[in-house]
Amino acid sequence: MSKRETYESRTEQLLSPITEQYGVEIYDVEYVKEGSDWYLRAYIDKPEGVNIVDCENVSRALSDVLDAEDFIPDAYILEVSSPGLGRTLKKDRHLEKSLGEAVEIKTYKPIDGRKEFAGILIAYDADTVTIEEPETVGNGNGDGESETGIKRILNRKEAALIRLALDF
């Protein structure tokens, strides 16, 4: 396990009783370097969405526990927030909750001449994600057009980003 994975896993263990206490759930934990700074980010969620008070309560409690445990030798910035509307779907539990939802997938390299795909998430496994992309069919003049779906199976290792689609 890498240093990053170790820190994320340990933080998630420490965060679990805190999130239970405040009635929220852990969405994700990440330890990343941006520029010269390290960030330890905890994303929390609940069915009706989290608010600033949820984030503040969890942040204060987590900060105290992290200070007591002191297992990360590097200086870092702690952030606790919601995963947001266009949340990234990294883990199986994220994909499971998002089945039937509209997603966007960006790939590292072009596939069939494209690096961006959008559709309804219909399946996933350890190696792949399957979406149903809309395809408009009709008579060419705009009358009687309808959408049908094309199944597209993408390798998860080729996906740079999988996230919920924002529809405004």
Side-chain angles (χ1 to χ4, degrees), residues 2 31 53 55 62 77 94 115 132 141 164:
S2 72
Y31 183 72
V53 173
C55 294
L62 179 58
I77 298 164
H94 302 155
K115 289 178 74 174
E132 188 171 350
N141 65 8
L164 286 180

Side-chain angles (χ1 to χ4, degrees), residues 139-158:
N139 58 15
N141 65 8
D143 294 336
E145 290 189 359
S146 64
E147 284 191 0
T148 61
I150 300 171
K151 282 188 186 176
R152 180 173 299 271
I153 301 171
L154 298 166
N155 189 317
R156 284 173 75 168
K157 289 181 182 174
E158 295 174 350

Side-chain angles (χ1 to χ4, degrees), residues 10 38 92 114 155:
R10 182 69 181 128
W38 284 98
D92 285 352
R114 298 166 45 199
N155 189 317

Side-chain angles (χ1 to χ4, degrees), residues 77-91:
I77 298 164
L78 175 65
E79 294 180 350
V80 176
S81 69
S82 159
L85 293 175
R87 59 191 60 195
T88 303
L89 309 175
K90 295 181 188 176
K91 300 178 179 182

Side-chain angles (χ1 to χ4, degrees), residues 15-33:
L15 182 57
S16 185
I18 295 168
T19 56
E20 283 181 34
Q21 176 185 350
Y22 288 105
V24 297
E25 62 187 39
I26 300 168
Y27 186 80
D28 200 11
V29 173
E30 64 181 13
Y31 183 72
V32 295
K33 188 168 189 173

Side-chain angles (χ1 to χ4, degrees), residues 30-156:
E30 64 181 13
Y31 183 72
V32 295
K33 188 168 189 173
E34 294 179 1
S36 61
D37 295 322
W38 284 98
Y39 288 85
L40 180 61
R41 293 190 176 113
Y43 297 97
I44 59 173
D45 203 11
K46 62 184 180 184
E48 63 275 15
V50 296
N51 58 42
I52 191 72
V53 173
D54 296 321
C55 294
E56 183 180 350
N57 289 336
V58 170
S59 179
R60 286 184 179 168
L62 179 58
S63 179
D64 291 345
V65 171
L66 290 169
D67 287 348
E69 293 285 325
D70 199 27
F71 65 94
I72 302 175
D74 307 309
Y76 60 89
I77 298 164
L78 175 65
E79 294 180 350
V80 176
S81 69
S82 159
L85 293 175
R87 59 191 60 195
T88 303
L89 309 175
K90 295 181 188 176
K91 300 178 179 182
D92 285 352
R93 70 178 186 246
H94 302 155
L95 293 167
E96 181 68 31
K97 278 186 149 183
S98 301
L99 286 170
E101 300 286 333
V103 297
E104 297 172 347
I105 301 174
K106 294 184 181 184
T107 58
Y108 292 108
K109 297 178 183 176
I111 298 171
D112 297 335
R114 298 166 45 199
K115 289 178 74 174
E116 295 186 13
F117 302 87
I120 303 299
L121 179 65
I122 58 173
Y124 72 93
D125 61 31
D127 300 316
T128 64
V129 291
T130 304
I131 61 171
E132 188 171 350
E133 293 183 292
E135 176 185 55
T136 302
V137 294
N139 58 15
N141 65 8
D143 294 336
E145 290 189 359
S146 64
E147 284 191 0
T148 61
I150 300 171
K151 282 188 186 176
R152 180 173 299 271
I153 301 171
L154 298 166
N155 189 317
R156 284 173 75 168

